Amino acid sequence: MSARTLLEKVDENLYILRADDLDVRYFEAVWEIPEKITYNAYLLLEGDYRILFDGWKLSYSDQFLELIRSLVDPRDLTHLVVHHAEPDHSGSLPRVLEANGFRAAVLTHPMAATMLKRIYGIEAKFRPVKDGEEIEIGDGVLKFVYTPWLHWPETMMSLLADRLILFSGDAFGGYSIPSSIFDDSEEVVAEFLPHARKYVATIIGAYRDHIIRGVEKLRRLRKPPKIIAPAHGLVWRRRPELIVDYYVRLAKGVPEGDKLLVVSGSMYGSTEKAVKVAVEEAARLGCAIALHRFDQSESASISEIIGDAIDSRAIILAAPTYEAGVYPPIEYVVRLIARKIPPKPALIISSYGWGSAAARIISEILSSAGFKIVDAIDFRGSAGDEDLEKIREGVRKLVEFRF
Ligand code: FEO
């Protein structure tokens, strides 16, 4: 298993060490990412200070050390900054410490220090830092900012205060392997943003309020960062505020135009027939429809559904009743949406054979998460003319609804 590796100067004496993970199929062993992902570490060589920020996943440790060695002897690393304990970044830490002879101070959140010791069974010169703490590094200052739940509770960022370079960890990152290191072209940014959307929805969506709080906290710093250097995806130096604003929009669930998410599950076509009518009505009303299907020939990507949900204006969920419950793939989707996506108006469509359950259960799950159910329409067997008219009416109510 090997990554494609990149090494490039980000700023004076500062380098990015990027691993393009072409092997991964399911991030966190859950989220399907055919677009793949990068792991970004950074190395600062400032006077006598040799500071490594984060790392790569365990399986790429040898390549990581090779890239470090092209700039510095790992034994000379003076500080390792760990912004986040999740193993996509910390996996290489034990090997780096070994190569370093455990000489470097490991600057991290106190909770991360405990977690890293337990995850890797390592002892090192852990030097927990406080929120807002500043340390002098040569002529510069490195400031630590706790940003809990972006993405775990122990997560922090660090700021090269004099140069306004923010190492932001998971935050302001995204899936995919951008064709460049930096956000220098409109094209590369336009390609990246949908992958950032899917990443925010799947990875940080459950903690979306913390995105807003974290950004407010960063905005209270004296000056906005000139460079944002995340642990995944693009480095932002042309328009760093663009990705910050985009994250806030996603966290608030701001809709992208009249985007309507439709998720359809159908075992034998009855529900699908009703969904087709709903989609025709929504298209007639000018919605941009993102349709995902589970049926006998298709099994939609759950990651793409969650990614499409976060900036939809409304959603339609359709599923048959299955074993006195909800058709399983749709139940999984509904529970994820309830957990990760800001509340939206929703229309439920469902068919059943001998007893109705799915429409009620989906409505209950979404209502308890704050979603507004504009209607839940179910029917025995195949939808008749009257049911189809109710569905058209439901779509009209959905499209008109405003929170
Ligand atoms: Fe990229 Fe939460 O780790």
Side-chain angles (χ1 to χ4, degrees):
M1 196 181 258
S2 68
R4 186 168 62 204
T5 65
L6 287 85
L7 172 64
E8 201 159 317
K9 194 170 177 177
V10 171
D11 198 52
E12 195 59 33
N13 302 330
L14 177 66
Y15 301 87
I16 179 171
L17 296 79
R18 184 175 112 174
D20 294 352
D21 187 349
L22 302 170
D23 301 313
V24 66
R25 289 184 62 197
Y26 301 98
F27 190 68
E28 292 185 332
V30 182
W31 312 112
E32 195 181 349
I33 49 165
E35 67 270 52
K36 311 298 180 186
I37 193 164
T38 76
Y39 312 112
N40 305 343
Y42 300 88
L43 182 58
L44 177 68
L45 309 175
E46 177 95 11
D48 294 335
Y49 291 82
R50 271 118 180 76
I51 306 178
L52 181 66
F53 298 84
D54 294 320
W56 297 352
K57 73 179 192 184
L58 171 67
S59 48
Y60 299 147
S61 298
D62 286 342
Q63 289 182 282
F64 189 44
L65 279 166
E66 203 176 302
L67 215 55
I68 293 171
R69 281 195 187 97
S70 70
L71 291 169
V72 68
D73 183 338
R75 287 186 65 80
D76 294 336
L77 292 170
T78 56
H79 299 79
L80 309 179
V81 176
V82 180
H83 294 112
H84 178 27
E86 193 164 9
D88 52 330
H89 311 289
S90 68
S92 56
L93 181 66
R95 291 291 312 283
V96 171
L97 281 167
E98 269 171 37
N100 171 254
F102 292 86
R103 289 142 58 113
V106 181
L107 304 173
T108 193
H109 190 292
M111 193 191 297
T114 307
M115 290 166 73
L116 293 165
K117 286 180 200 172
R118 296 290 304 182
I119 293 170
Y120 300 112
I122 48 170
E123 282 302 331
K125 289 184 190 165
F126 282 105
R127 156 71 166 88
V129 296
K130 296 193 178 78
D131 189 22
E133 185 174 340
E134 296 182 350
I135 62 165
E136 286 185 10
I137 46 165
D139 293 334
V141 169
L142 187 61
K143 181 185 178 88
F144 300 96
V145 183
Y146 286 8
T147 47
W149 301 105
L150 302 177
H151 147 230
W152 284 358
E154 81 326 347
T155 309
M156 64 175 197
M157 299 184 187
S158 61
L159 177 74
L160 273 179
D162 46 319
R163 293 154 72 174
L164 296 172
I165 300 173
L166 180 70
F167 301 99
S168 62
D170 272 350
F172 313 128
Y175 294 133
S176 81
I177 297 187
S179 55
S180 69
I181 297 283
F182 299 101
D183 64 332
D184 288 350
S185 83
E186 292 289 347
E187 292 73 26
V188 88
V189 171
E191 257 174 47
F192 180 72
L193 289 183
H195 303 300
R197 167 168 54 78
K198 177 172 152 185
Y199 167 90
V200 170
T202 53
I203 301 297
I204 323 179
Y207 308 125
R208 56 189 176 272
D209 292 348
H210 293 273
I211 294 178
I212 296 163
R213 276 180 224 152
V215 167
E216 282 168 359
K217 187 172 183 179
L218 292 174
R219 285 183 172 151
R220 287 196 294 273
L221 296 172
R222 260 169 301 166
K223 290 182 181 165
K226 283 188 183 155
I227 297 177
I228 295 181
H232 300 289
L234 287 173
V235 175
W236 301 85
R237 68 178 178 188
R238 189 172 64 101
R239 291 182 59 197
E241 74 288 355
L242 183 146
I243 191 65
V244 176
D245 291 344
Y246 190 56
Y247 259 59
V248 171
R249 284 172 61 83
L250 293 172
K252 291 180 175 172
V254 175
E256 191 63 48
D258 280 328
K259 181 175 176 183
L260 175 69
L261 172 70
V262 182
V263 188
S264 167
S266 190
M267 294 161 65
Y268 294 103
S270 297
T271 312
E272 195 158 10
K273 176 183 152 192
V275 169
K276 195 163 174 281
V277 168
V279 165
E280 282 167 4
E281 184 66 7
R284 190 183 69 75
L285 296 168
C287 295
I289 292 151
L291 174 64
H292 299 266
R293 288 168 40 205
F294 296 88
D295 57 30
Q296 291 196 13
S297 61
E298 276 203 46
S299 183
S301 159
I302 302 230
S303 314
E304 292 294 336
I305 293 172
I306 303 305
D308 267 333
I310 197 164
D311 64 348
S312 290
R313 202 162 67 67
I315 62 178
I316 296 178
L317 288 155
T321 288
Y322 183 97
E323 294 175 347
V326 182
Y327 172 65
I330 300 293
E331 178 167 6
Y332 182 42
V333 165
V334 168
R335 291 192 185 280
L336 288 173
I337 286 176
R339 190 193 303 180
K340 290 177 178 287
I341 301 301
K344 313 263 177 186
L347 172 67
I348 317 299
I349 298 172
S350 178
S351 70
Y352 59 91
W354 57 93
S356 164
R360 174 182 52 78
I361 294 169
I362 295 172
S363 300
E364 284 170 0
I365 295 169
L366 290 179
S367 296
S368 63
F371 283 66
K372 168 67 187 173
I373 310 301
V374 299
D375 210 346
I377 300 160
D378 64 352
F379 44 87
R380 188 189 290 267
S382 193
D385 289 344
E386 208 175 298
D387 302 311
L388 295 176
E389 194 40 48
K390 272 196 218 163
I391 287 167
R392 288 189 195 93
E393 179 56 31
V395 171
R396 289 194 284 275
K397 277 200 276 182
L398 184 71
V399 171
E400 281 162 16
F401 189 88
R402 294 285 183 272
F403 261 117

